[in-house]
Amino acid sequence: MRVSDKNLAEVWDRGFTIIENFLDRDALAAAREALWEIYPKPEDYFKAPEEHPELARGQFAGLRLFPYSSWALNRLPVYPDLIDGAERLLETRNLEVYKIELWAKYSGAVNYDQFHHRDFGNHSLVVPRADRNHTQMTTFMLLSDVTAEDAPTKLVPLTFTRELSFPTRAVPFGELFEHEVALTAPAGSLLIYKTDVFHRGSNFTGVNRSRFMMLVDIQQRGWRWQGKMSWPDRADAKGMRETIVRMTPRERDLFGFPPPGSEYWNEQTIADVSARYPGMDMTPYLKPSADGSAEQKS
């Protein structure tokens, strides 16, 4: 589903917006099925939670970093409507995806309650600008239904926090509870928010409940004081080669891959990159000739 102009305006006004049923049905179904290659199915976990002690080591124990073994998950960070929304919110096509995480939570594993905090603390060396420049777009894609019982993320509209200076990255537990809005929505929904928005994780109130999300963060390329993950560091991770091969040139560009027309491309690099990523269509990286056909750049 395309992110509406109304939703984008709400990000600037309220600090966040929720788009229900954002993912198409097939993409959501494939992604949900692929989750079980990484996490135990809820029914299996709750039969014997003691068999999964790794998920009880802390609030962030269920985080898994990109890439994943399944294309059904790896394609979500470049979901066309997500990138379209980012281009329109950030008013540029010169974008980069700077963080991708999967996050699973199971009731009873740990207490997921948090105090309200702002994400810029570990997304930037400085602070967000108060205008629309240098904005980072942070998102949650819900891969399961989230009700009030399912540990929903809780956000505080900017109306109630604009007077809190940026050095204030967190407030004492409970201080903003009266103003928070719970992210409750069906699977496939999308939350877009900014890094100056106070939000927190909450605990489960239901038994045998679980929650699964993908977090995808996007920013304008080129600001060296902002970021989170290094994709070259993940180049040899399982699933990365297939993902790079299956992506379009535009999608690879979002991860810093040299785009068509870059001075990087010549006869040697085209041959060697093709060898590193067997099956990749290298045609887009060939220099157009005067008659419109493709030729290798030397």
Side-chain angles (χ1 to χ4, degrees):
M1 177 184 293
R2 191 169 194 254
V3 179
S4 71
D5 291 340
K6 181 179 178 181
N7 283 118
L8 296 181
E10 191 172 38
V11 175
W12 296 119
D13 179 53
R14 189 166 68 153
F16 61 92
T17 193
I18 300 168
I19 302 100
E20 293 194 359
N21 304 308
F22 172 74
L23 294 174
D24 69 79
R25 185 175 301 176
D26 291 343
L28 173 61
R32 284 176 56 86
E33 186 61 30
L35 287 173
W36 317 135
E37 300 172 13
I38 302 171
Y39 301 111
K41 292 182 177 180
E43 57 268 31
D44 294 334
Y45 175 84
F46 291 115
K47 283 179 184 177
E50 68 279 0
E51 294 182 5
H52 305 280
E54 72 282 358
L55 293 169
R57 291 173 182 158
Q59 291 186 345
F60 304 102
L63 283 178
R64 300 293 181 268
L65 305 182
F66 181 92
Y68 311 103
S69 59
S70 172
W71 172 246
L73 291 170
N74 291 340
R75 68 186 289 255
L76 295 186
V78 292
Y79 192 74
D81 287 333
L82 177 67
I83 303 308
D84 172 72
E87 290 175 349
R88 289 159 53 223
L89 181 73
L90 303 178
E91 298 181 340
T92 182
R93 281 180 53 83
N94 190 24
L95 299 175
E96 60 182 358
V97 176
Y98 72 90
K99 190 200 77 175
I100 305 167
E101 297 169 329
L102 274 177
W103 200 351
K105 296 182 178 183
Y106 298 83
S107 62
V110 298
N111 184 343
Y112 294 101
D113 259 330
Q114 298 174 334
F115 48 78
H116 284 102
H117 61 279
R118 288 163 155 167
D119 274 351
F120 74 82
N122 60 359
H123 290 235
S124 175
L125 291 173
V126 287
V127 301
R129 282 180 53 149
D131 58 18
R132 297 189 179 191
N133 292 306
H134 298 269
T135 297
Q136 294 172 300
M137 177 177 128
T138 46
T139 74
F140 292 175
M141 287 188 195
L142 302 188
L143 300 181
S144 59
D145 294 337
V146 178
T147 70
E149 294 185 310
D150 300 315
T153 301
K154 297 188 176 182
L155 307 100
V156 179
L158 291 176
T159 305
F160 303 106
T161 62
R162 291 188 196 278
E163 302 307 313
L164 290 174
S165 64
F166 278 131
T168 304
R169 288 173 43 194
V171 297
F173 187 83
E175 186 168 306
L176 293 172
F177 280 17
E178 64 182 309
H179 302 304
E180 62 188 14
V181 175
L183 171 56
T184 56
S189 299
L190 175 73
L191 165 72
I192 301 175
Y193 69 104
K194 300 195 292 108
T195 60
D196 58 347
V197 171
F198 282 96
H199 64 287
R200 71 181 184 95
S202 69
N203 202 21
F204 289 90
T205 58
V207 297
N208 292 354
R209 311 290 293 190
S210 57
R211 194 197 76 175
F212 302 89
M213 299 192 310
M214 179 176 281
L215 290 62
V216 181
D217 299 345
I218 303 172
Q219 64 188 14
Q220 182 174 347
R221 175 176 286 123
W223 310 121
R224 61 183 182 271
W225 51 86
Q226 296 180 170
K228 193 76 183 288
M229 297 175 67
S230 170
W231 303 124
D233 183 57
R234 310 291 298 166
D236 291 326
K238 185 177 182 181
M240 190 63 156
R241 181 172 294 130
E242 179 197 11
T243 295
I244 292 294
V245 169
R246 295 186 68 161
M247 283 181 174
T248 67
R250 168 59 175 154
E251 292 167 351
R252 295 180 196 120
D253 177 61
L254 295 167
F255 290 81
F257 200 91
S262 168
E263 55 79 27
Y264 169 82
W265 296 112
N266 61 20
E267 185 173 355
Q268 173 257 310
T269 58
I270 287 173
D272 289 345
V273 169
S274 179
R276 181 174 184 179
Y277 296 99
M280 181 186 290
D281 178 12
M282 301 303 298
T283 305
Y285 302 102
L286 305 179
K287 179 183 177 182
S289 63
D291 63 3
S293 61
E295 63 181 19
Q296 289 188 346
K297 198 172 184 178
S298 59

